[in-house]
Amino acid sequence: MDSRRKKKGIMGGTFDPIHIGHLILGENACLQFGLDSVLFMPCGNPPHKQDREGRATTQQRIEMVRLAIADNPHFELSLVETHDQGYSYTKETLKKLTTEHPDTDYYFIMGADSLFHFEHWRGPEEICRLATLVVAVRNHLPAKKLDQQIAYIREKFHARIEKLDTPNIDISSETIRQWIQEGKSLRYYVRDNVISYIEQEHLYRQIGTEPLS
């Protein structure tokens, strides 16, 4: 019987749509920290993104994530935050996961920008107790500034924080949506099967725009 504690990463987000940057972060976190798997966790009702007019539905975002990660055995789709009971908070998600899986250590993957707002999240002390924070560096953020913020959060919340050593793919879902509006190609930025799904569902598009691939 294997008594080793499991190690799982958490990649949360709206994934509206999921793109290659998300997948690269998840894969490199898996390799760097020896994770058994990474949970890709679409938000149902994220508290910081309440205005979703013109965006994909929750079910469409779930399907895009499912398609994007289907061929990676280390990636899992988690629906723990896609509920109809209100907005999703990281603290509540981690409490649920750690209660249901007490043999698992969780690594919460976040962008460096988010670390500068982290103390204003709901229950930052509890989040730090329940998971290791894995911070993905962004090119526009000076290393010294990030290191200072990491030290501050460590001291204030007794946090376990690791920096993710990964190539920086500085692309956002907002940029992808803008490209779709402008009829630009998404090739290599979004998985081909996700591009096909976006076209099939006519997501984010204006009438008359060209195919995305």
Side-chain angles (χ1 to χ4, degrees), residues 132-152:
T132 297
L133 304 183
V134 175
V135 180
V137 180
R138 303 295 289 268
N139 279 344
H140 64 269
L141 188 62
K144 182 179 179 180
K145 184 177 180 182
L146 176 59
D147 288 342
Q148 289 173 340
Q149 184 67 9
I150 287 175
Y152 171 71

Side-chain angles (χ1 to χ4, degrees), residues 16-69:
D16 196 15
I18 189 169
H19 54 71
I20 201 70
H22 297 127
L23 303 175
I24 290 172
L25 287 183
E27 180 70 7
N28 281 300
C30 197
L31 295 172
Q32 183 174 334
F33 300 106
L35 305 180
D36 295 290
S37 62
V38 175
L39 304 176
F40 280 75
M41 193 176 291
C43 297
N45 294 294
H48 59 296
K49 296 183 179 179
Q50 299 183 31
D51 181 10
R52 301 196 48 77
E53 184 178 354
R55 306 289 183 83
T57 66
T58 296
Q59 191 55 49
Q60 287 170 328
R61 291 185 292 111
I62 289 171
E63 187 59 26
M64 286 188 282
V65 171
R66 193 192 310 277
L67 290 167
I69 70 174

Side-chain angles (χ1 to χ4, degrees), residues 86-103:
Y87 298 127
S88 301
Y89 292 97
T90 300
K91 181 188 77 168
E92 301 303 328
T93 297
L94 285 169
K95 284 174 67 175
K96 177 179 175 63
L97 289 173
T98 53
T99 299
E100 293 178 352
H101 306 282
D103 62 340

Side-chain angles (χ1 to χ4, degrees), residues 29-196:
C30 197
L31 295 172
Q32 183 174 334
F33 300 106
L35 305 180
D36 295 290
S37 62
V38 175
L39 304 176
F40 280 75
M41 193 176 291
C43 297
N45 294 294
H48 59 296
K49 296 183 179 179
Q50 299 183 31
D51 181 10
R52 301 196 48 77
E53 184 178 354
R55 306 289 183 83
T57 66
T58 296
Q59 191 55 49
Q60 287 170 328
R61 291 185 292 111
I62 289 171
E63 187 59 26
M64 286 188 282
V65 171
R66 193 192 310 277
L67 290 167
I69 70 174
D71 62 353
N72 190 323
H74 302 296
F75 289 172
E76 299 177 31
L77 173 63
S78 171
L79 302 182
V80 69
E81 289 199 340
T82 51
H83 53 72
D84 298 322
Q85 300 168 9
Y87 298 127
S88 301
Y89 292 97
T90 300
K91 181 188 77 168
E92 301 303 328
T93 297
L94 285 169
K95 284 174 67 175
K96 177 179 175 63
L97 289 173
T98 53
T99 299
E100 293 178 352
H101 306 282
D103 62 340
T104 300
D105 295 326
Y106 288 96
Y107 291 70
F108 186 80
I109 303 164
M110 62 195 301
D113 295 350
S114 296
L115 195 66
F116 288 84
H117 306 287
F118 180 73
E119 64 184 313
H120 303 297
W121 289 19
R122 176 173 290 192
E125 303 94 338
E126 187 79 349
I127 293 171
C128 292
R129 185 181 69 81
L130 296 172
T132 297
L133 304 183
V134 175
V135 180
V137 180
R138 303 295 289 268
N139 279 344
H140 64 269
L141 188 62
K144 182 179 179 180
K145 184 177 180 182
L146 176 59
D147 288 342
Q148 289 173 340
Q149 184 67 9
I150 287 175
Y152 171 71
I153 296 297
R154 277 179 177 154
E155 174 70 21
K156 184 169 184 177
F157 300 116
H158 307 288
R160 301 180 302 276
I161 305 178
E162 300 284 353
K163 283 201 284 190
L164 180 56
D165 181 19
T166 183
N168 180 39
I169 310 299
D170 209 356
I171 187 72
S172 68
S173 294
E174 182 179 6
T175 299
I176 296 294
R177 293 194 301 270
Q178 183 63 36
W179 287 355
I180 294 171
Q181 288 284 318
E182 296 170 358
K184 293 182 178 178
S185 173
L186 305 185
R187 186 175 293 169
Y188 309 123
Y189 288 94
V190 177
R191 295 291 305 268
D192 287 347
N193 54 358
V194 177
I195 293 174
S196 296

